[in-house]
């Protein structure tokens, strides 16, 4: 991998797919110059740690939980919102770890997910046509000419909002909030009047007894007081990601310091395109979204371009097939990559392929479709003898009503109550925790072949 990073001019010459249209190039250049002088948001060593953890996932020795907002907004950068998202992810992770008996690598769609690709450049309401909302990184949600203008100064706000978010996340995960001994408090005013709550509380009781036994036996409990938590987002805005790329002082290699892991979306994964070219030069772990039209040749071409040296943990394929397609479309991809000898992380995104419009006009997803795609994902890997490495979900720590179904059987008529997303519908905290139990059951039901981490402690013969 070359330490050379293409210039923005070189990248733009390859084609600017899904990029903002700024009116004043001089204003954009000034913002980018300021961004290049700012400190990194994450460190190269942290990116390396995540890549090493993902290498364990690829080998079947760990599982990836990746989740967070579809699109973060500036006004949601508050202590309560960050805490809520972190709480639901930690709760999901502990369910998967304990009930599934597998280490969980925790990665948030957080601290950088401020831009979204759109299928149309414009939006028309009552005869008025304005630019589409592309996330707070580009323009505002309000349907006015002023708000919908593509404003380069918003890139500076992305940096500031990401810095505030990541600073608070670090404080939470290392400052006691993630301590396993506080596991019951994560569920305080979390879920109510559902079997999800009782299952979680029963599991928390089991964990507390296990912790008490460990401490009684003299096991050092310092590792129980914090967790490693990493940030990720789609590397959509070339100007921002390029400005945040730095040369690591240790290795003299480039890292995108806007997040620990970045991914390429279904709309921007052109093999000869600017996004693939930029990410081929950085050392971060890379995610690649693959939809139902993806072919094994597509996947192999991207893997060869982005990871020619076959670095363990470098590539994660995030598949988004849809519940109706996963059992047919996923096997050829897995077979093709496995036949090449590559060890990649296979991740299921059960959200993006299962979106539909409700009768009342709300964009939504059915929890049952999400579960069905996940079950299909596990079934395919069971049949092929490969490791289902992780799950990638859009979720929130709030009691929103954006996806139908789940423990409380939300219906389409419930969507009007708390539909708060600016883009895609998210699982609420009840549905997220319910999903974690479902994943834990699939990991522990004996159908998936994987190394048993307990075996090394068994049958010691003196």
């Amino acid at each position: 991998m070359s330490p050379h990073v293409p210039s923005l001019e070189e990248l733009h010459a390859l084609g600017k797919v899904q990029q903002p249209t700024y009116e004043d190039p001089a204003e954009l250049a000034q913002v980018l110059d300021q961004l290049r002088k700012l400190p990194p948001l994450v460190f190269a060593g942290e990116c390396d740690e995540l890549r090493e953890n993902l290498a364990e996932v690829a080998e079947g020795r760990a599982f990836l939980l990746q989740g967070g907002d579809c699109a973060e907004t500036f006004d949601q950068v508050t202590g309560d919102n960050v805490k809520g998202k972190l709480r639901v992810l930690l709760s999901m992770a502990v369910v998967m770890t304990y009930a599934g008996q597998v280490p969980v690598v925790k990665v948030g769609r957080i601290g950088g997910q401020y831009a979204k690709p759109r299928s149309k450049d414009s939006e028309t309401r009552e005869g008025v046509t304005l630019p589409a909302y592309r996330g707070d990184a580009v323009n505002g949600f309000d349907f006015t000419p002023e708000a919908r203008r593509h404003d380069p100064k918003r890139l500076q706000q992305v940096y500031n909002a990401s810095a505030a978010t990541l600073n608070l996340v670090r404080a939470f995960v290392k400052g006691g909030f993630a301590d396993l001994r506080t596991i019951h408090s994560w569920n305080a005013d979390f879920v109510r009047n559902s079997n999800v709550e009782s299952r979680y509380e029963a599991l928390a009781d089991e964990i507390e007894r296990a912790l008490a036994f460990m401490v009684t036996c003299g096991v050092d409990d310092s590792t129980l007081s914090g967790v490693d938590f990493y940030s990720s987002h789609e590397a959509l805005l070339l100007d921002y990601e390029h400005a945040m790329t730095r040369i690591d002082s240790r290795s003299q290699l480039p890292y995108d310091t806007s997040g620990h892991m970045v991914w390429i979306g279904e709309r921007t994964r052109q093999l000869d395109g600017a996004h693939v070219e930029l990410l081929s030069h950085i050392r971060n772990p890379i995610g690649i979204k693959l939809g139902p039209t993806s072919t094994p040749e597509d996947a192999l071409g991207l893997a060869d371009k982005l990871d020619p040296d076959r670095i363990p943990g470098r590539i994660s394929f995030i598949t988004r097939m849809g519940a109706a397609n996963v059992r047919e479309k996923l096997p050829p991809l897995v077979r093709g990559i496995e036949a090449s000898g590559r060890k990649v992380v296979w991740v299921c995104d059960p959200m993006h392929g299962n979106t539909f419009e409700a009768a009342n006009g709300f964009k939504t997803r059915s929890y049952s479709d999400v579960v069905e795609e996940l079950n299909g994902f596990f079934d395919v890997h069971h049949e092929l003898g490969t490791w289902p490495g992780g799950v990638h979900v859009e979720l929130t720590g709030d009691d929103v009503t954006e996806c139908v179904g789940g423990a409380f059987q939300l219906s389409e008529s419930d969507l009007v109550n708390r539909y708060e997303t600016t883009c895609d519908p998210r699982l609420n905290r009840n549905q997220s925790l319910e999903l974690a139990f479902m994943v834990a059951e699939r990991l522990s039901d004996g159908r998936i072949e994987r190394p048993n981490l307990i075996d090394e402690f068994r049958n010691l013969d003196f």
Side-chain angles (χ1 to χ4, degrees):
M1 188 178 294
S2 168
H4 167 71
V5 178
S7 68
L8 267 178
E9 291 72 23
E10 290 173 311
L11 292 173
H12 289 167
L14 296 176
K16 300 195 294 184
V17 179
Q18 294 285 335
Q19 298 305 291
T21 304
Y22 297 118
E23 298 171 355
D24 187 346
E27 184 182 28
L28 172 63
Q30 183 180 23
V31 170
L32 297 180
D33 185 57
Q34 292 172 345
L35 284 173
R36 292 188 181 97
K37 297 173 183 176
L38 292 171
L41 291 172
V42 302
F43 299 115
E46 296 171 332
C47 300
D48 291 342
E49 289 173 6
L50 175 57
R51 193 173 63 242
E52 291 166 4
N53 289 337
L54 291 173
E56 288 291 288
V57 176
E59 292 292 338
R61 297 178 61 85
F63 190 81
L64 170 65
L65 170 62
Q66 187 173 12
D69 272 316
C70 61
E72 296 174 283
T73 60
F74 296 149
D75 61 6
Q76 289 179 341
V77 183
T78 67
D80 286 343
N81 277 328
V82 174
K83 183 179 181 180
K85 282 184 279 192
L86 190 58
R87 179 176 61 181
V88 72
L89 286 166
L90 291 175
S91 299
M92 292 177 72
V94 80
V95 167
M96 294 177 185
T97 301
Y98 192 80
Q101 291 293 290
V102 62
V104 173
V105 180
K106 293 164 277 292
V107 179
R109 287 173 59 110
I110 195 169
Q113 186 62 14
Y114 290 97
K116 291 289 289 184
R118 305 315 302 241
S119 55
K120 296 181 180 179
D121 289 334
S122 62
E123 177 184 1
T124 301
R125 297 184 192 177
E126 299 178 352
V128 177
T129 299
L130 293 175
Y133 171 65
R134 290 185 171 273
D136 276 13
V138 178
N139 55 1
F141 185 70
D142 292 341
F143 195 72
T144 65
E146 296 78 20
R148 292 298 176 93
R149 171 182 173 265
H150 292 185
D151 183 359
K153 291 181 180 177
R154 285 177 170 268
L155 298 178
Q156 182 79 55
Q157 290 179 270
V158 170
Y159 178 91
N160 294 336
S162 299
T165 299
L166 296 178
N167 183 57
L168 189 55
V169 167
R170 287 189 176 100
F172 274 134
V173 300
K174 299 300 182 183
F177 180 72
D179 195 316
L180 272 176
R181 289 165 294 192
T182 67
I183 184 172
H184 277 291
S185 71
W186 299 346
N187 201 35
D189 52 80
F190 184 59
V191 283
R192 289 290 176 265
N193 304 318
S194 76
N195 67 327
V196 180
E197 178 187 19
S198 58
R199 292 178 74 188
Y200 180 86
E201 290 299 331
L203 182 138
D205 286 338
E206 281 189 45
I207 292 174
E208 283 193 337
R209 287 194 294 271
L211 292 175
F213 175 76
M214 291 167 61
V215 173
T216 302
C217 290
V219 175
D220 181 9
D221 65 350
S222 61
T223 57
L224 308 176
S225 60
V227 299
D228 292 324
F229 190 90
Y230 302 97
S231 69
S232 69
H233 62 269
E234 181 176 358
L236 183 62
L237 301 183
L238 293 168
D239 295 329
Y240 181 75
E241 304 302 338
H242 189 275
M244 290 304 299
T245 297
R246 308 279 191 272
I247 302 299
D248 176 33
S249 59
R250 310 164 306 156
S251 63
Q252 298 303 306
L253 292 172
Y255 287 77
D256 184 347
T257 65
S258 67
H260 298 107
M261 176 185 184
V262 290
W263 72 82
I264 301 174
E266 178 81 342
R267 294 182 176 95
T268 54
R269 58 175 176 80
Q270 296 85 4
L271 190 59
D272 58 354
H275 290 84
V276 172
E277 180 64 26
L278 175 59
L279 268 60
S280 71
H281 292 275
I282 62 172
R283 293 281 293 189
N284 307 58
I286 301 297
I288 305 168
K289 288 286 191 84
L290 297 176
T293 62
S294 305
T295 66
E297 291 73 25
D298 293 335
L300 284 167
L302 287 164
D304 290 341
K305 171 73 174 180
L306 291 164
D307 182 32
D309 300 325
R310 301 198 174 196
I311 301 169
R314 164 75 170 169
I315 296 292
S316 296
F317 281 122
I318 307 169
T319 62
R320 37 161 298 180
M321 299 297 168
N325 296 317
V326 63
R327 288 178 171 84
E328 174 191 355
K329 302 292 186 180
L330 182 58
L333 294 176
V334 177
R335 290 193 191 100
I337 292 294
E338 292 292 320
S340 74
R342 283 188 172 275
K343 280 290 185 182
V344 302
V345 178
W346 289 105
V347 186
C348 178
D349 170 0
M351 308 294 291
H352 286 90
N354 296 304
T355 307
F356 65 95
E357 184 175 320
N360 53 7
F362 284 95
K363 186 179 180 182
T364 189
R365 292 159 175 157
S366 170
Y367 178 79
S368 61
D369 288 341
V370 171
V371 169
E372 175 61 20
E373 178 157 0
L374 260 175
N375 272 321
F377 175 77
F378 276 98
D379 289 344
V380 166
H381 285 284
H382 164 61
E383 292 164 6
L384 298 180
T386 49
W387 175 240
V391 60
H392 180 119
V393 289
E394 291 183 337
L395 55 79
T396 176
D398 299 324
D399 290 319
V400 299
T401 54
E402 296 172 2
C403 293
V404 297
F408 287 114
Q409 290 300 304
L410 295 178
S411 66
E412 292 187 10
S413 62
D414 293 316
L415 297 175
V416 69
N417 295 333
R418 286 195 63 182
Y419 194 95
E420 299 175 4
T421 182
T422 57
C423 203
D424 292 336
R426 304 160 294 176
L427 298 177
N428 63 30
R429 52 191 185 177
N430 282 330
Q431 293 164 331
S432 300
L433 198 57
E434 190 174 358
L435 194 75
F437 278 105
M438 175 260 162
V439 169
E441 288 169 0
R442 287 305 309 256
L443 288 171
S444 60
D445 65 7
R447 282 182 278 177
I448 301 295
E449 294 183 14
R450 60 186 174 101
N452 190 331
L453 305 183
I454 305 301
D455 282 347
E456 59 189 276
F457 297 104
R458 289 179 175 154
N459 302 322
L460 292 180
D461 187 3
F462 294 99

